[in-house]
Amino acid sequence: MDWFQTVVLALIQGLTEFLPISSSAHLILPSQLLGWEDQGLAFDVGVHVGTLAAVVYYFRQDIWSMIKAFFASFKGENSADGRIAWFVIFATVPALIFGFLINDWIDAYGRSILVIAGTTLIFGALLWYADSTRTEVEPLENITFKQAMWIGIAQAVAIIPGTSRSGITMTAALMLGFTRQAAARFSFLLSIPIIMAAGSYKGLELWQTGTTAQWEYVLGGVVLSAISALTCIYLFLKWLNQIGMLPFVIYRFALGVLLLGVYFFA
């Protein structure tokens, strides 16, 4: 790697992790389109740490309230924060199971430009439908176990590159009648355990393989991905009600068509 690749890949990770446009697709594309070599496990772990730090910092007050309410629930105290904490845990399970079962298959067959183009277009259209037909009646505090699990099942599908974890979870939440803000907030909270799991898995793999790394680039990736992710979360939640999902849908359609062009004509 060099510093140019470090900056580009770290910014891609930070900006796309929480936008409904698929971070995995964008991290695969530089190698597919520009011929860049794989950035390596250490860098992958680093940018995951950066985005995790960003979302934890932004939601630090919510997380602290959920942690306190989670332990209070063992004493029989019932609260919205406690229920959300439990639902985040349960809703993470489908993605962990799905990832364990088909991760090797995805690595072998799911990272092609054609697959990314297809999922980008299909789930972009689904996001447009969910946002344009939304009812927006439910705040996050009213979420039920069944609704949380449907969102968790949707998250499991995001292991397929191009789907977008944040995109499909917000799509599911909008279809279930939640407000845009509630959909985004639950999606971001749900990202915390799944990013931790992905980072831990890659970290374990890094430790087992004993891969060497250029640690100055890894550290740069951590910092840049954290700053860009924090900025992205702040601006996305600030502007979400005004701009809606349409700009991201248009971007996904344009990207999907571009990728199809590259696949069939390049």
Side-chain angles (χ1 to χ4, degrees):
M1 294 187 68
D2 56 34
W3 278 112
F4 177 71
Q5 290 175 301
T6 298
V7 171
V8 171
L9 293 175
L11 290 178
I12 287 175
Q13 173 68 26
L15 293 175
T16 62
E17 179 66 43
F18 301 107
L19 294 179
I21 56 176
S22 179
S23 61
S24 60
H26 286 77
L27 286 172
I28 291 170
L29 289 177
S31 62
Q32 294 278 353
L33 299 179
L34 303 176
W36 289 359
E37 294 184 6
D38 185 86
Q39 60 266 27
L41 276 173
F43 189 83
D44 281 347
V45 173
V47 293
H48 275 84
V49 169
T51 52
L52 177 63
V55 69
V56 168
Y57 177 79
Y58 186 89
F59 288 101
R60 60 193 182 280
Q61 294 181 345
D62 301 67
I63 294 169
W64 179 237
S65 296
M66 288 166 57
I67 290 173
K68 290 189 294 183
F70 172 79
F71 286 108
S73 68
F74 289 101
K75 302 177 183 178
E77 299 180 20
N78 187 23
S79 67
D81 283 334
R83 290 195 304 275
I84 293 172
W86 277 107
F87 293 164
V88 166
I89 294 171
F90 284 121
T92 301
V93 174
L96 297 179
I97 295 174
F98 197 52
F100 176 78
L101 292 176
I102 71 164
N103 185 65
D104 291 340
W105 185 88
I106 290 296
D107 283 340
Y109 304 106
R111 297 181 178 274
S112 73
I113 291 181
L114 186 61
V115 170
I116 295 171
T119 52
T120 297
L121 291 169
I122 291 169
F123 290 105
L126 196 60
L127 177 62
W128 171 80
Y129 174 80
D131 191 51
S132 62
T133 61
R134 71 192 186 282
T135 55
E136 290 202 335
V137 295
E138 295 290 345
L140 183 56
E141 288 70 22
N142 290 353
I143 192 171
T144 65
F145 175 77
K146 183 178 180 180
Q147 290 170 327
M149 291 308 297
W150 276 118
I151 298 171
I153 291 169
Q155 178 175 246
V157 179
I159 191 173
I160 305 172
T163 302
S164 172
R165 190 211 61 81
S166 60
I168 197 170
T169 51
M170 283 188 268
T171 296
L174 289 170
M175 286 184 168
L176 291 168
F178 288 94
T179 65
R180 285 170 172 166
Q181 288 291 329
R185 182 183 169 203
F186 191 71
S187 174
F188 292 161
L189 291 173
L190 199 57
S191 74
I192 295 172
I194 207 68
I195 294 175
M196 289 179 64
S200 298
Y201 176 79
K202 290 180 179 290
L204 179 61
E205 187 177 351
L206 177 65
W207 179 75
Q208 290 176 336
T209 58
T211 304
T212 58
Q214 297 170 294
W215 292 107
E216 66 275 20
Y217 297 135
V218 174
L219 181 59
V222 173
V223 174
L224 286 172
S225 62
I227 294 173
S228 58
L230 184 60
T231 303
C232 178
I233 294 170
Y234 173 79
L235 294 178
F236 180 76
L237 291 176
K238 180 180 179 180
W239 293 337
L240 179 57
N241 287 337
Q242 286 75 36
I243 65 174
M245 298 296 182
L246 185 58
F248 306 106
V249 172
I250 293 172
Y251 175 82
R252 290 183 70 124
F253 285 166
L255 178 61
V257 171
L258 172 63
L259 293 177
L260 288 177
V262 170
Y263 182 81
F264 287 108
F265 302 110

